Amino acid sequence: RECKEDTGYIQESKWQMITEVAKAVMDKYTRNTTLTRALYNGLFFQQAPQDTSGSYGVFYINGITRDEIMGAASNGISKIEIQFNLFTDNDDGGFEISTISQLLTDCFDWKNLYVEGYHSVWMQRNNILPLGYVDEMWQTTIEYELGIEKE
């Protein structure tokens, strides 16, 4: 195969992986009733509807890298950067957004994420940004790294 075809295959594979990871994150969220009650206006992939208010979250897949194991292209771990942005308009000094942050951490940090076609290796929180109050909304960002390998 030419390099051009391989590049197309890799890009197609990454888009498939992004789709499956996004589905897995949403499935994990919807199965956690405590978190879904706290984020009562939902968790959205990439963008919330324009008029969303209350407590909600938006997540993004910021990057995918691959580490080969034992030198074979088919043996490797994909590392996926997932960013959660959490918002609430509850003017309580940041208590609610802190609680939601902890619930999200309890749901995802070092837990299995069942991604179709892959084995979950790890899901690790890398960073929590400080709470902020911007445009009458409390907000924070929590960043994760997900490690998965093809089944």
Side-chain angles (χ1 to χ4, degrees):
R1 294 172 65 179
E2 293 179 17
C3 184
K4 193 177 210 180
E5 289 178 84
D6 288 340
T7 302
Y9 172 77
I10 290 169
Q11 289 302 322
E12 180 181 319
S13 176
K14 281 187 178 181
W15 286 115
Q16 176 72 27
M17 185 185 300
I18 288 170
T19 300
E20 295 304 327
V21 169
K23 286 180 190 176
V25 167
M26 289 304 297
D27 185 56
K28 184 94 168 158
Y29 161 74
T30 57
R31 291 176 185 265
N32 187 308
T33 56
T34 306
L35 182 57
T36 56
R37 279 194 302 261
L39 287 174
Y40 55 85
N41 279 329
L43 179 65
F44 304 94
F45 181 48
Q46 296 191 21
Q47 184 175 355
Q50 189 67 28
D51 59 349
T52 305
S53 61
S55 296
Y56 66 97
V58 179
F59 73 98
Y60 308 88
I61 297 174
N62 288 337
I64 299 173
T65 57
R66 184 160 171 79
D67 289 339
E68 290 182 7
I69 299 173
M70 308 202 49
S74 61
N75 294 335
I77 295 176
S78 295
K79 294 189 280 188
I80 302 153
E81 298 169 20
I82 303 171
Q83 175 181 315
F84 292 90
N85 293 344
L86 305 175
F87 305 91
T88 185
D89 60 5
N90 190 350
D91 190 13
D92 63 359
F95 179 77
E96 184 173 312
I97 196 76
S98 295
T99 301
I100 293 168
S101 297
Q102 185 60 54
L103 292 171
L104 185 101
T105 298
D106 292 346
C107 181
F108 288 99
D109 200 30
W110 290 107
K111 304 294 192 291
N112 284 329
L113 191 65
Y114 300 103
V115 180
E116 177 107 13
Y118 297 87
H119 293 290
S120 180
V121 179
W122 71 81
M123 178 82 169
Q124 174 184 354
R125 186 185 69 220
N126 286 341
N127 194 20
I128 299 178
L129 297 180
L131 300 179
Y133 191 70
V134 179
D135 295 330
E136 299 182 18
M137 295 286 289
W138 282 100
Q139 49 192 288
T140 191
T141 297
I142 302 176
E143 298 168 342
Y144 277 89
E145 181 179 83
L146 169 65
I148 58 177
E149 61 184 335
K150 195 86 169 137
E151 288 183 336

